[in-house]
Amino acid sequence: MSMHTLLQYKWGMMTPEFIVLGTALILSLMDLFMPDDKDRRPLAWIAFVGVAIALIATIGLIPAKAVSILNDTFRLDAFGKAFKLLLLAGGALSLLLAFDYRPKEGLKDRGEFYYLLLCALLGAMIMASSGDLITLFVGLELLSISSYILAGIRKTSMQANESAMKYVINGGISTAITLFGMSYIFGLTGTTNIKEIALEVQKLTDSGYQYILAIAFLMMLVGLSFKISSVPFHMWTPDVYQGAPTPVTAFLSVVSKTAGFVIVLRLFITIFAQAPAQGKDPSSLLFSMQDYIAFLAGATMIIGNTIALKQRSMKRLFAYSSIAHAGYILVGFAAMSWVMIDSIWFYLLAYLFMNLGAFAILQRISDEADSDDLSHFAGLYQRNPLLAVAMGIFLLSLAGIPGTAGFIGKLNIFLGALMTEPGHYVLAAVMIAATVISYVYYFGIFVQIFFRPADETSSVRLSIGLTIVVVICALGTLLFGIVPGLAYHFLEQFDHFSDFLQ
Amino acid sequence: MNGTYFLSLLVFSPLVGILLLAFVPKTQERTIKWLGFLSTLPSLILSLFAFVQYLRGYRLEHLAEKHDWVRFADFPFLTEPTFAIRYELSIDGFSLVMIVLTSLLATLAAVASIHIKKEWKGYFMLFLLLEIGMLGVFAAGNMILFFIFLEITLVPMFFLVGKWGGFERERAAYSYLLYNGIGSAILLIAIIVLFARTGTSNIELVKEMLHNPAVEAQLVAPISNDLRLGLFIALLIAFGIKLPIVPFHRWILRVHVQAPPSIVMLHSGVLLKIGAYGLIRFGIGLFPDQFRDFAFWIAILGVVNLLYGAFLAFVQDDFKMVLAYSSVSHMGIVLIGLGALNEAGIQGAIFQAVSHGFISALLFLLVSILYERTSTTAIDRLGGLAKVMPLTAGCLLAGAMASLGLPGMSGFVSEFTAFLGLFKTEPVVAAIGALGIIMTAVYLLRAVLNMTFGASKRDDVQALDMSLAEAIPVFVLLALIVMIGVYPHILAKPLQATIEMMMNGLGV
């Protein structure tokens, strides 16, 4: 590749990625040259500003036409843009949480903490835009490896060590399984470029190839279920969520999960929706695999919600809740209706606000008590009524009560499941039943906050970073719950992701 | 009157109270109570105004509101913007009557809330939120909005029961949440299936699409007869839990006993009626054919409810439990009226919904007055009330009389018309059901006479008769009960159009 071709690429399309990368570089250099005894917390603001600029740059790119550069390995289409916005917003808010993270034993490697978070975010962004299995995998691993370190960054904590260990091992296995599936695809088509794969698989009408494709599909689905923490690779979630620093947990539950869904949608829709399937009825391999995805969705919702009932540790509870939410989103995927991408995008948007908001408050409460037991929420209403109400909003949204973004998100997914012919009645019924089960534990937290007396009477005060997160998240949760048209109107600009589906 | 924002104003006027309350310091008990009470007045005035105008011939169609809200799946290949959920409010005579009932009971319950002992601020904020939800349910012009308002009632009720209730309040709150959550969930499935198939959630439009074969082509996906049956059964179960129909009634006992009496006034007066309202509006309105096929079984369910509730009310020692089972039993009459499938029956069912709203509110108001003074609701510990509290005892007796259907009171009109309807179509079932009326008289008189007469069991003569503030709502309710009993036309007239429309739909 000559210099000439390199310069021809529209590098401007990668501006957000470059900004995040640049910020990470600056931070790492500053961290290196700053005196050891200097407080590194203010670095978080630089990271935050960097991500915010990247977010603005992404918004600036929205009107641009779909483009693919670097030999089709990097695609900037409506799909990538829409999901990158979520990733960046989630990353920015997680950084604010990280700024205010004060574990009892202190945190020595703060500089690393911030730029690793940025690297993970960069990986997620690359995943959202990748047009090639290789870039996709690189993005995935950048996200994963950064996350492994982040999970174990509290070096002296036994729990953090355990969690990082579990995360690495589980992550390694899942990566291997994903890669195994990808290798089948490569073997069948002889290319790693997703668009070319999509063209090649259309020619694979022989039933023998289709079995191999189906195996590839299932392998990749199982492997990627790790990132979105759905069944069968969900077991790491509670342990890692509990052991990792709270901002990292928040990051994993929002940004990492969004990235997981991005990769799932991009890969499976572009590749398997084109592949012909056996039999007459289903129009493509993806449709013939619908039942498997639906089964995973159902199992994820049931397992997540029922095990959450018994949790006393808030971080474990939120881990199971996040498993359950992955199940709801998978319902949107399994239904394969016309509203699939819109509904998943909206749900992830709602999830971003409600979950990060809840984690911000959780971080404050558990930092103070040095434990994340449910009982520390007792009497929060007396200690800070506004904070209690904010937590109430997040929990109502997570439970899917009207007036919040979570309700609209669920409604949309639900609508998608029932508007197809034949409708997914069983799946919709499981989703509804799971939601009712989830009432028990979400309202259980309510009981603690509003009904139980507090052990301590001192009022709870939020620091600046957490306040910003809580305010933004509460406003977002309510705003998109009351005027969801805002978000859907915004999505209309993307023209139903037609440039992605083509 | 200009109808552009009338209904929104009516439904959301308690919101002003919530916002104002947010700025009042927690400790200002008097201000909070007054503000809470005053905030219920705007919707009461507006709804009474609309009611009077309607009686004078104003057409309620002018009040309908419609605004764009959210649009899913706005595809270029669909010419009409389907899958749009609009913010649509509209009322007819039936919903107007329910709105008047709601706003009236809300005001009276706000007065009864003077007995609340703690955290008045939170209490009244939730109370007003509950009122918004209840008003919205009856004003909603589309099914999704109906569902949203219904869910909005769920949250404040959970807190009101769980925080201000009796000894086992949290359990009661949970059982309320779960039973009603499941009911709502089933309702949501039915609503979304209809929405997904028709592309609209407007009740009138869906109704037209379901009954006019010409618009079959407009449907996004066909609705088979099997699916209709499934949807109807889903609605029956969903609203059956709210009503409650007998196997699903356990939660109402806990709520009636544990919740603060002012909230039970609203719960038993209005929230239970949402079940009846939904069954009539959606069950009969959207699926008249299926309803006709099920009418006999609905009547049977009604008789079961009536007798089961009555028998169990008879053996209770606690007056609250008697009233709880009495609610179960009286909701049976709603089902009996609906099962009759004729004009008299349906009229009776709606009458019963309204009349029971007033009567049960009255009885729970009296319970709150009694409990305030004696700290018990056990029947045998309350003997001889007539001596120490003659006024309260008298009103209690009057309420019981209304409840057991004494002629000249609202209970009589509704029971009479409901049974009149059923005797026409299913005389045998009706005859068995009529036993329930006798049982009602027996259990209510046993309970009330034991409480009011006989030797006074109270040696502390601290028990004073009700104060003026307590007497006003009691007398307002009694007056309304007598008014409906003596002059049922005041209800029959606004309901006429709705009932006729339903009879048209049923084709009988």
Side-chain angles (χ1 to χ4, degrees):
Chain A
M1 196 185 292
S2 70
M3 199 64 193
H4 184 66
T5 25
L6 262 184
L7 286 174
Q8 264 186 342
Y9 291 133
K10 292 183 180 164
W11 291 104
M13 295 297 142
M14 288 181 84
T15 319
E17 278 83 356
F18 282 127
I19 295 171
V20 173
L21 178 64
T23 318
L25 278 177
I26 293 171
L27 284 185
S28 62
L29 289 176
M30 284 177 78
D31 186 42
L32 188 63
F33 291 112
M34 261 165 102
D36 275 349
D37 54 342
K38 199 121 167 117
D39 185 17
R40 279 163 169 74
R41 280 181 59 219
L43 292 184
W45 289 107
I46 300 175
F48 175 74
V49 169
V51 176
I53 295 173
L55 186 65
I56 294 166
T58 313
I59 294 172
L61 284 174
I62 287 174
K65 277 220 158 59
V67 98
S68 87
I69 56 174
L70 293 171
N71 270 340
D72 278 349
T73 52
F74 186 91
R75 270 179 68 82
L76 189 75
D77 48 15
F79 179 83
K81 283 179 239 172
F83 281 95
K84 248 182 250 182
L85 288 176
L86 294 183
L87 295 172
L88 284 166
L93 293 176
S94 306
L95 276 167
L96 287 181
L97 292 187
F99 167 70
D100 273 327
Y101 178 59
R102 291 188 187 84
K104 273 270 153 66
E105 77 270 13
L107 184 58
K108 278 187 130 181
D109 312 290
R110 259 193 197 273
E112 266 143 292
F113 189 40
Y114 301 137
Y115 59 76
L116 279 170
L117 211 64
L118 287 179
C119 288
L121 183 61
L122 181 66
M125 290 167 75
I126 291 174
M127 279 159 77
S129 269
S130 55
D132 196 286
L133 289 182
I134 304 289
T135 32
L136 200 131
F137 191 73
V138 170
L140 179 68
E141 282 303 274
L142 183 55
L143 171 62
S144 303
I145 294 170
S146 312
S147 309
Y148 302 152
I149 307 171
L150 282 171
I153 203 155
R154 286 158 63 200
K155 286 181 209 158
T156 50
S157 154
M158 281 304 281
Q159 220 177 19
N161 282 320
E162 186 193 330
S163 107
M165 199 66 195
K166 278 185 177 157
Y167 199 22
V168 172
I169 293 170
N170 275 299
I173 297 169
S174 83
T175 306
I177 295 175
T178 313
L179 209 53
F180 193 45
M182 285 183 179
S183 71
Y184 274 117
I185 303 268
F186 178 69
L188 282 171
T189 59
T191 172
T192 55
N193 187 293
I194 295 176
K195 286 278 150 189
E196 282 171 32
I197 293 174
L199 289 176
E200 289 294 321
V201 288
Q202 289 175 26
K203 299 173 194 156
L204 300 173
T205 44
D206 189 40
S207 64
Y209 290 135
Q210 274 164 11
Y211 281 120
I212 301 179
L213 256 189
I215 291 173
F217 174 87
L218 289 175
M219 286 286 181
M220 283 157 73
L221 182 67
V222 167
L224 291 175
S225 72
F226 170 80
K227 269 278 153 248
I228 58 178
S229 57
S230 79
V231 172
F233 253 117
H234 65 286
M235 279 85 83
W236 62 276
T237 320
D239 295 326
V240 173
Y241 276 30
Q242 194 180 21
T246 317
V248 175
T249 312
F251 181 85
L252 291 180
S253 79
V254 173
V255 180
S256 188
K257 191 186 289 277
T258 306
F261 275 103
V262 167
I263 192 171
V264 165
L265 286 177
R266 190 178 268 286
L267 265 184
F268 292 164
I269 293 176
T270 25
I271 297 178
F272 296 102
Q274 307 292 337
Q278 283 267 280
K280 292 177 198 92
D281 222 16
S283 51
S284 73
L285 187 76
L286 186 62
F287 276 94
S288 68
M289 290 290 162
Q290 222 170 1
D291 289 348
Y292 296 97
I293 306 174
F295 176 75
L296 284 195
T300 307
M301 290 186 287
I302 293 170
I303 290 176
N305 277 318
T306 45
I307 303 185
L309 292 176
K310 284 279 164 207
Q311 301 306 317
R312 289 289 304 175
S313 148
M314 283 292 276
K315 278 164 108 179
R316 289 186 84 86
L317 191 147
F318 270 91
Y320 284 109
S321 135
S322 114
I323 294 173
H325 283 276
Y328 303 144
I329 302 174
L330 273 181
V331 171
F333 182 43
M336 294 183 195
S337 67
W338 289 103
V339 292
M340 171 167 65
I341 301 181
D342 294 21
S343 64
I344 292 179
W345 187 84
F346 188 90
Y347 201 93
L348 285 167
L349 175 75
Y351 186 67
L352 173 108
F353 286 123
M354 58 199 186
N355 219 35
L356 276 178
F359 267 110
I361 296 173
L362 172 60
Q363 177 178 334
R364 173 66 184 80
I365 303 288
S366 58
D367 271 6
E368 177 195 64
D370 200 24
S371 129
D372 62 344
D373 194 79
L374 183 59
S375 59
H376 299 305
F377 274 82
L380 183 62
Y381 177 67
Q382 275 116 41
R383 300 178 65 195
N384 186 341
L386 277 179
L387 201 61
V389 170
M391 190 68 182
I393 292 171
F394 302 135
L395 289 172
L396 287 180
S397 187
L398 286 163
I401 301 282
T404 58
F407 170 71
I408 305 284
K410 264 196 191 140
L411 189 69
N412 198 355
I413 286 182
F414 208 59
L415 180 66
L418 293 175
M419 76 198 272
T420 48
E421 180 66 41
H424 298 262
Y425 296 108
V426 177
L427 197 55
V430 171
M431 180 168 168
I432 280 288
T435 303
V436 175
I437 297 173
S438 80
Y439 284 177
V440 177
Y441 59 88
Y442 289 129
F443 279 79
I445 307 174
F446 272 128
V447 169
Q448 295 289 336
I449 294 179
F450 291 97
F451 297 174
R452 298 266 189 273
D455 297 336
E456 256 184 90
T457 45
S458 64
S459 120
V460 180
R461 296 189 63 83
L462 279 189
S463 46
I464 173 83
L466 292 182
T467 312
I468 299 174
V469 177
V470 170
V471 169
I472 291 180
C473 289
L475 288 181
T477 308
L478 286 179
L479 185 73
F480 292 114
I482 295 167
V483 259
L486 283 180
Y488 285 107
H489 192 69
F490 174 75
L491 270 185
E492 276 169 26
Q493 298 181 56
F494 296 119
D495 198 23
H496 305 287
F497 304 103
S498 49
D499 55 348
F500 159 67
L501 292 168
Q502 271 159 23
Chain B
M1 77 187 155
N2 181 7
T4 337
Y5 290 106
F6 183 82
L7 286 178
S8 292
L9 206 63
L10 173 64
V11 171
F12 288 103
S13 60
L15 197 60
V16 181
I18 298 180
L19 295 177
L20 286 177
L21 277 173
F23 295 103
V24 180
K26 260 197 237 184
T27 45
Q28 300 258 338
E29 183 188 343
R30 264 181 79 84
T31 323
I32 291 170
K33 285 183 174 176
W34 269 105
L35 203 58
F37 166 69
L38 291 175
S39 309
T40 62
L41 288 182
S43 41
L44 176 64
I45 293 166
L46 290 174
S47 61
L48 285 177
F49 175 69
F51 189 67
V52 172
Q53 291 288 30
Y54 179 57
L55 286 182
R56 291 171 57 190
Y58 182 83
R59 291 179 63 81
L60 291 174
E61 288 83 354
H62 296 310
L63 290 179
E65 277 180 48
K66 191 186 262 189
H67 307 286
D68 270 344
W69 187 47
V70 55
R71 194 175 289 168
F72 300 117
D74 188 11
F75 297 113
F77 57 82
L78 292 172
T79 44
E80 290 235 352
T82 59
F83 294 114
I85 304 175
R86 295 199 180 83
Y87 170 78
E88 291 165 305
L89 299 182
S90 68
I91 53 171
D92 61 4
F94 182 23
S95 27
L96 181 58
V97 167
M98 297 312 287
I99 286 176
V100 173
L101 172 78
T102 308
S103 52
L104 196 66
L105 288 188
T107 306
L108 297 179
V111 177
S113 303
I114 47 170
H115 296 315
I116 292 297
K117 294 282 186 305
K118 58 176 185 187
E119 308 207 20
W120 310 281
K121 182 172 163 177
Y123 172 84
F124 271 106
M125 286 170 91
L126 289 166
F127 181 93
L128 293 171
L129 186 63
L130 180 65
E131 189 185 357
I132 294 178
M134 294 187 302
L135 289 170
V137 162
F138 298 120
N142 78 40
M143 298 181 298
I144 292 181
L145 221 52
F146 176 91
F147 177 79
I148 289 177
F149 281 118
L150 190 62
E151 287 287 281
I152 287 179
T153 62
L154 200 65
V155 179
M157 268 303 279
F158 175 82
F159 284 108
L160 288 168
V161 176
K163 187 151 179 111
W164 287 272
F167 188 61
E168 286 204 332
R169 51 185 180 263
E170 281 179 21
R171 234 181 114 198
Y174 265 110
S175 84
Y176 175 80
L177 181 77
L178 288 182
Y179 269 96
N180 284 279
I182 292 167
S184 303
I186 297 170
L187 178 66
L188 183 66
I189 296 186
I191 287 177
I192 299 291
V193 169
L194 280 172
F195 182 46
R197 302 273 151 154
T198 59
T200 176
S201 61
N202 184 293
I203 300 171
E204 293 303 314
L205 271 175
V206 169
K207 199 175 185 175
E208 200 190 333
M209 287 192 165
L210 285 173
H211 301 308
N212 189 349
V215 287
E216 186 91 44
Q218 279 181 33
L219 294 180
V220 176
I223 304 177
S224 65
N225 272 335
D226 287 348
L227 184 57
R228 281 176 200 227
L229 185 65
L231 290 174
F232 175 73
I233 292 174
L235 288 177
L236 192 63
I237 296 173
F239 290 119
I241 292 175
K242 308 238 166 225
L243 194 58
I245 293 177
V246 153
F248 311 124
H249 69 287
R250 299 284 312 169
W251 64 277
I252 180 190
L253 307 172
R254 291 208 186 103
V255 172
H256 266 54
V257 174
Q258 300 298 335
S262 49
I263 294 306
V264 184
M265 278 174 74
L266 286 180
H267 174 250
S268 145
V270 182
L271 286 167
L272 295 187
K273 307 309 174 309
I274 294 176
Y277 179 82
L279 214 50
I280 293 169
R281 179 114 310 178
F282 298 115
I284 301 185
L286 299 180
F287 303 102
D289 299 339
Q290 285 70 22
F291 193 87
R292 248 199 333 264
D293 298 343
F294 269 75
F296 176 72
W297 294 107
I298 289 175
I300 296 278
L301 280 176
V303 170
V304 170
N305 249 39
L306 180 63
L307 294 177
Y308 175 87
F311 273 111
L312 282 171
F314 183 68
V315 296
Q316 300 305 319
D317 309 322
D318 188 305
F319 190 50
K320 277 184 176 173
M321 281 302 268
V322 173
L323 292 182
Y325 276 110
S326 153
S327 279
V328 173
S329 168
H330 277 102
M331 288 302 102
I333 294 176
V334 173
L335 291 172
I336 285 174
L338 293 181
L341 211 63
N342 51 26
E343 193 167 337
I346 292 176
Q347 191 173 22
I350 299 179
F351 261 67
Q352 174 69 2
V354 178
S355 137
H356 180 256
F358 288 128
I359 297 171
S360 64
L362 171 69
L363 290 171
F364 270 98
L365 194 56
L366 293 167
V367 165
S368 83
I369 293 168
L370 284 178
Y371 187 77
E372 181 63 21
R373 285 156 176 73
T374 60
S375 306
T376 179
T377 49
I379 292 170
D380 55 352
R381 294 193 51 208
L382 279 168
L385 281 179
K387 285 199 187 102
V388 276
M389 312 168 68
L391 196 57
T392 317
C395 292
L396 194 63
L397 198 58
M401 291 299 174
S403 187
L404 61 82
L406 190 76
M409 295 180 126
S410 65
F412 172 72
V413 189
S414 41
E415 284 179 21
F416 179 74
T417 31
F419 272 104
L420 188 69
L422 194 65
F423 266 112
K424 263 186 214 157
T425 46
E426 304 286 349
V428 181
V429 181
I432 300 169
L435 285 176
I437 299 189
I438 303 165
M439 282 303 297
T440 312
V442 173
Y443 73 75
L444 273 171
L445 289 178
R446 177 191 82 100
V448 172
L449 293 182
N450 270 336
M451 284 159 71
T452 47
F453 296 118
S456 175
K457 300 221 171 86
R458 311 205 59 79
D459 22 310
D460 55 330
V461 199
Q462 285 173 340
L464 291 167
D465 220 338
M466 51 182 155
S467 66
L468 186 67
E470 291 163 332
I472 291 171
V474 170
F475 283 116
V476 171
L477 283 170
L478 264 178
L480 286 165
I481 290 166
V482 173
M483 186 172 75
I484 298 174
V486 178
Y487 186 62
H489 192 63
I490 194 159
L491 270 186
K493 192 177 172 219
L495 294 174
Q496 194 56 37
T498 314
I499 293 172
E500 269 169 26
M501 211 165 67
M502 251 175 252
M503 297 316 294
N504 274 338
L506 283 168
V508 284

